Amino acid sequence: MAPKKNSLKLNPLQLRTLALLQELARHPETSSRDPNTGEVLIAHLPHAHGDHVHVGALVVSARDASGFANAAVWAALERKGLARGDFPHAITLTAPGLAYDTGLAGIRASRSDH
């Protein structure tokens, strides 16, 4: 039997936030990986300017990235074992958080032109 999509029942904002954190975790400019645990620390979260946010090499709507500034989203990700956070300063994605299939959570993204 195939694994159930969204088995932890994350809500849409939690899914979008996790998907964007996973994107930030892919880039050494925005994250650092612990070689012993495989966990990834994201110490500098991007902030919206205008109606968008730069997430790694992508540009997403500020609405899609609103979970970066939402303590309840961070708490839910922690409670489900996907992250450990020091809201609003830094968040660490755990191995399950890095591996969780978000399906990109319906995020519309484009490549940055600036």
Side-chain angles (χ1 to χ4, degrees):
M1 184 177 227
K4 182 179 172 189
K5 271 277 204 210
N6 196 15
S7 60
L8 295 177
K9 298 181 178 156
L10 299 177
N11 70 33
L13 179 57
Q14 294 162 356
L15 275 172
R16 284 193 307 267
T17 302
L18 180 57
L20 294 174
L21 289 168
Q22 289 170 339
E23 178 62 25
L24 288 171
R26 289 190 241 303
H27 301 280
E29 311 84 49
T30 56
S31 66
S32 58
R33 185 173 299 272
D34 182 324
N36 297 320
T37 65
E39 296 179 338
V40 176
L41 171 68
I42 302 165
H44 302 287
L45 293 166
H47 297 285
H49 56 279
D51 63 350
H52 67 281
V53 177
H54 294 266
V55 178
L58 303 176
V59 175
V60 299
S61 79
R63 181 177 178 271
D64 282 342
S66 65
F68 288 162
N70 186 319
V73 169
W74 287 41
L77 296 176
E78 281 192 76
R79 192 172 51 254
K80 295 179 186 241
L82 302 171
R84 287 190 317 281
D86 178 22
F87 183 81
H89 307 291
I91 191 163
T92 298
L93 288 184
T94 62
L98 290 165
Y100 196 82
D101 183 6
T102 63
L104 287 180
I107 295 170
R108 291 188 181 176
S110 60
R111 294 283 173 203
S112 175
D113 64 354
H114 65 276

Coordinates of all heavy atoms in Angstrom, one line a residue, residues 63-109:
R63 N 1.7 35.9 0.6 CA 0.6 35.1 1.2 C 1.1 33.7 1.5 O 0.8 33.1 2.5 CB -0.6 35.2 0.4 CG -1.8 34.4 1.0 CD -3.0 34.6 0.1 NE -4.1 33.8 0.7 CZ -4.4 32.6 0.4 NH1 -3.6 31.9 -0.5 NH2 -5.4 31.9 0.9
D64 N 1.7 33.1 0.4 CA 2.2 31.7 0.6 C 3.2 31.5 1.6 O 3.4 30.4 2.2 CB 2.7 31.1 -0.8 CG 1.5 30.7 -1.7 OD1 0.4 30.6 -1.2 OD2 1.8 30.6 -2.9
A65 N 4.0 32.6 1.9 CA 5.1 32.5 2.9 C 4.7 33.1 4.2 O 5.5 33.2 5.1 CB 6.3 33.3 2.3
S66 N 3.4 33.3 4.5 CA 3.0 34.0 5.7 C 3.3 33.1 7.0 O 3.4 33.6 8.1 CB 1.5 34.4 5.7 OG 0.7 33.2 5.6
G67 N 3.4 31.8 6.8 CA 3.7 30.9 7.9 C 5.1 31.1 8.5 O 5.3 30.7 9.6
F68 N 6.0 31.8 7.8 CA 7.3 32.1 8.4 C 7.2 33.0 9.6 O 8.0 32.9 10.5 CB 8.2 32.8 7.4 CG 8.7 32.0 6.2 CD1 9.2 32.6 5.1 CD2 8.7 30.6 6.3 CE1 9.7 31.8 4.0 CE2 9.2 29.8 5.2 CZ 9.7 30.4 4.1
A69 N 6.1 33.8 9.7 CA 5.9 34.7 10.8 C 4.7 34.3 11.7 O 4.2 35.1 12.4 CB 5.7 36.1 10.2
N70 N 4.4 33.0 11.6 CA 3.2 32.5 12.4 C 3.7 31.5 13.4 O 4.0 30.4 13.1 CB 2.2 31.9 11.4 CG 0.9 31.5 12.0 OD1 0.9 31.0 13.1 ND2 -0.2 31.8 11.3
A71 N 3.6 31.9 14.7 CA 4.1 31.0 15.8 C 3.3 29.7 15.8 O 3.8 28.7 16.2 CB 4.0 31.8 17.1
A72 N 2.0 29.8 15.5 CA 1.2 28.6 15.6 C 1.6 27.5 14.5 O 1.6 26.3 14.8 CB -0.3 28.9 15.4
V73 N 2.0 28.0 13.4 CA 2.5 27.1 12.3 C 3.8 26.4 12.8 O 4.0 25.2 12.7 CB 2.8 27.8 11.0 CG1 3.5 27.0 10.0 CG2 1.4 28.3 10.4
W74 N 4.7 27.2 13.4 CA 6.0 26.7 13.9 C 5.7 25.6 15.0 O 6.3 24.6 15.0 CB 6.9 27.8 14.4 CG 7.5 28.6 13.4 CD1 7.0 29.1 12.3 CD2 8.8 29.1 13.5 NE1 7.9 29.9 11.6 CE2 9.0 29.9 12.3 CE3 9.9 29.0 14.4 CZ2 10.2 30.6 12.1 CZ3 11.1 29.6 14.1 CH2 11.3 30.4 13.0
A75 N 4.7 25.9 15.9 CA 4.4 25.0 17.0 C 3.8 23.7 16.4 O 4.1 22.6 16.9 CB 3.4 25.7 17.9
A76 N 3.0 23.8 15.4 CA 2.4 22.6 14.8 C 3.5 21.7 14.1 O 3.5 20.5 14.3 CB 1.4 23.0 13.7
L77 N 4.5 22.3 13.4 CA 5.5 21.6 12.8 C 6.4 20.9 13.9 O 6.8 19.8 13.7 CB 6.4 22.5 11.9 CG 5.7 23.1 10.7 CD1 6.6 24.0 9.9 CD2 5.1 22.0 9.8
E78 N 6.6 21.6 15.0 CA 7.4 21.0 16.1 C 6.6 19.9 16.7 O 7.1 18.8 17.0 CB 7.6 22.1 17.2 CG 8.8 23.0 16.9 CD 9.2 23.8 18.1 OE1 9.9 23.2 19.0 OE2 8.9 25.0 18.1
R79 N 5.3 20.1 17.0 CA 4.5 19.1 17.6 C 4.4 17.8 16.8 O 4.4 16.7 17.4 CB 3.1 19.6 17.8 CG 2.2 18.9 18.7 CD 0.9 19.6 19.0 NE 0.2 20.1 17.8 CZ 0.1 21.4 17.5 NH1 0.7 22.3 18.2 NH2 -0.6 21.8 16.4
K80 N 4.5 17.9 15.5 CA 4.4 16.7 14.6 C 5.8 16.2 14.3 O 5.9 15.2 13.5 CB 3.7 17.1 13.4 CG 2.2 17.4 13.7 CD 1.4 17.8 12.6 CE 0.0 18.3 13.1 NZ -1.1 17.5 12.6
G81 N 6.9 16.7 15.0 CA 8.2 16.2 14.8 C 8.9 16.5 13.5 O 9.9 15.9 13.2
L82 N 8.4 17.6 12.8 CA 9.0 17.9 11.5 C 10.1 19.0 11.7 O 10.9 19.2 10.8 CB 7.9 18.4 10.6 CG 6.8 17.4 10.3 CD1 5.7 18.0 9.6 CD2 7.4 16.2 9.6
A83 N 10.1 19.7 12.8 CA 11.0 20.8 13.0 C 11.2 21.1 14.5 O 10.4 20.6 15.3 CB 10.4 22.1 12.3
R84 N 12.2 21.9 14.8 CA 12.4 22.5 16.1 C 12.7 24.0 15.9 O 13.5 24.3 15.0 CB 13.7 21.8 16.8 CG 13.4 20.4 17.3 CD 14.6 20.0 18.2 NE 15.9 20.3 17.7 CZ 16.5 19.7 16.7 NH1 16.0 18.6 16.1 NH2 17.7 20.0 16.3
G85 N 12.0 24.8 16.6 CA 12.1 26.2 16.3 C 12.5 27.1 17.5 O 12.3 26.7 18.6
D86 N 13.0 28.2 17.1 CA 13.3 29.3 18.1 C 12.6 30.5 17.5 O 13.2 31.4 17.0 CB 14.8 29.5 18.2 CG 15.1 30.6 19.2 OD1 14.2 31.0 20.0 OD2 16.2 31.2 19.0
F87 N 11.2 30.4 17.5 CA 10.4 31.5 16.9 C 10.8 32.8 17.4 O 10.9 33.0 18.6 CB 8.9 31.2 17.1 CG 8.0 32.1 16.4 CD1 7.8 32.0 15.0 CD2 7.5 33.2 17.0 CE1 6.9 32.9 14.3 CE2 6.7 34.1 16.4 CZ 6.4 34.0 15.0
P88 N 10.9 33.8 16.6 CA 10.9 33.9 15.1 C 12.3 33.9 14.5 O 12.5 34.3 13.4 CB 10.2 35.2 14.8 CG 10.7 36.1 15.9 CD 10.9 35.2 17.1
H89 N 13.3 33.4 15.2 CA 14.7 33.6 14.8 C 15.2 32.5 13.9 O 15.9 32.8 12.9 CB 15.6 33.7 16.1 CG 15.1 34.7 17.0 ND1 15.2 36.1 16.7 CD2 14.5 34.6 18.2 CE1 14.7 36.8 17.7 NE2 14.2 35.9 18.7
A90 N 15.0 31.3 14.2 CA 15.6 30.2 13.4 C 14.7 28.9 13.6 O 14.0 28.8 14.6 CB 17.0 29.9 13.9
I91 N 14.8 28.0 12.6 CA 14.1 26.8 12.7 C 15.0 25.7 12.1 O 15.7 25.9 11.2 CB 12.7 26.9 11.9 CG1 11.9 25.7 12.2 CG2 12.9 27.1 10.4 CD1 10.4 25.9 11.8
T92 N 14.9 24.5 12.7 CA 15.7 23.4 12.3 C 14.7 22.3 11.7 O 13.8 21.9 12.4 CB 16.5 22.7 13.4 OG1 17.4 23.7 13.9 CG2 17.2 21.5 12.9
L93 N 14.9 21.9 10.5 CA 14.1 20.9 9.9 C 14.7 19.5 10.3 O 15.9 19.3 10.1 CB 14.0 21.0 8.4 CG 13.1 22.1 7.8 CD1 13.1 22.0 6.3 CD2 11.7 22.1 8.4
T94 N 13.9 18.6 10.9 CA 14.4 17.3 11.2 C 14.4 16.4 10.0 O 13.9 16.8 8.9 CB 13.4 16.7 12.3 OG1 12.1 16.6 11.7 CG2 13.4 17.6 13.6
A95 N 15.0 15.2 10.1 CA 15.0 14.3 9.0 C 13.6 14.0 8.5 O 13.3 14.1 7.3 CB 15.7 13.0 9.4
P96 N 12.6 13.8 9.4 CA 11.2 13.6 8.9 C 10.6 14.8 8.2 O 9.9 14.8 7.2 CB 10.4 13.2 10.1 CG 11.4 12.7 11.1 CD 12.7 13.4 10.8
G97 N 11.0 16.0 8.7 CA 10.6 17.3 8.1 C 11.2 17.5 6.7 O 10.5 18.0 5.8
L98 N 12.4 17.1 6.5 CA 13.0 17.2 5.2 C 12.4 16.2 4.2 O 12.3 16.5 3.0 CB 14.5 17.0 5.3 CG 15.3 18.1 6.0 CD1 16.7 17.6 6.5 CD2 15.4 19.3 5.2
A99 N 12.0 15.0 4.7 CA 11.5 14.0 3.8 C 10.0 14.0 3.6 O 9.5 13.4 2.7 CB 11.9 12.6 4.4
Y100 N 9.3 14.8 4.3 CA 7.8 14.8 4.2 C 7.4 15.3 2.9 O 7.8 16.4 2.4 CB 7.2 15.8 5.3 CG 5.7 15.6 5.6 CD1 5.3 14.5 6.4 CD2 4.8 16.4 4.9 CE1 3.9 14.3 6.6 CE2 3.5 16.2 5.2 CZ 3.0 15.2 6.0 OH 1.7 15.0 6.2
D101 N 6.5 14.6 2.2 CA 6.0 14.9 0.9 C 4.9 15.9 1.0 O 3.8 15.6 1.4 CB 5.5 13.7 0.2 CG 5.1 13.9 -1.2 OD1 5.2 15.1 -1.7 OD2 4.6 13.0 -1.9
T102 N 5.2 17.2 0.7 CA 4.2 18.3 0.7 C 3.5 18.4 -0.6 O 2.5 19.1 -0.7 CB 4.9 19.6 1.0 OG1 5.8 19.9 -0.1 CG2 5.7 19.6 2.3
G103 N 4.0 17.8 -1.6 CA 3.4 17.9 -3.0 C 3.5 19.4 -3.4 O 2.8 19.8 -4.2
L104 N 4.5 20.1 -2.8 CA 4.7 21.6 -3.0 C 3.4 22.4 -2.6 O 3.4 23.6 -2.8 CB 5.1 21.9 -4.4 CG 6.6 21.5 -4.7 CD1 7.0 21.9 -6.1 CD2 7.5 22.1 -3.7
A105 N 2.4 21.7 -2.0 CA 1.3 22.4 -1.4 C 0.6 23.4 -2.2 O 0.1 24.4 -1.7 CB 1.8 23.0 -0.1
G106 N 0.6 23.3 -3.6 CA -0.1 24.2 -4.4 C 0.6 25.6 -4.5 O -0.1 26.5 -4.9
I107 N 1.8 25.6 -4.2 CA 2.6 26.9 -4.3 C 2.8 27.3 -5.7 O 3.3 26.5 -6.5 CB 3.9 26.9 -3.5 CG1 3.6 26.6 -2.0 CG2 4.7 28.1 -3.7 CD1 4.8 26.3 -1.2
R108 N 2.5 28.5 -6.0 CA 2.9 29.0 -7.4 C 4.2 29.8 -7.2 O 4.3 30.8 -6.4 CB 1.8 30.0 -7.9 CG 0.6 29.2 -8.2 CD -0.4 30.1 -8.9 NE -1.6 29.3 -9.2 CZ -2.7 29.9 -9.7 NH1 -2.7 31.1 -10.0 NH2 -3.7 29.1 -10.0
A109 N 5.2 29.4 -7.9 CA 6.5 30.0 -7.8 C 7.0 30.3 -9.2 O 6.7 29.6 -10.2 CB 7.4 29.1 -7.0

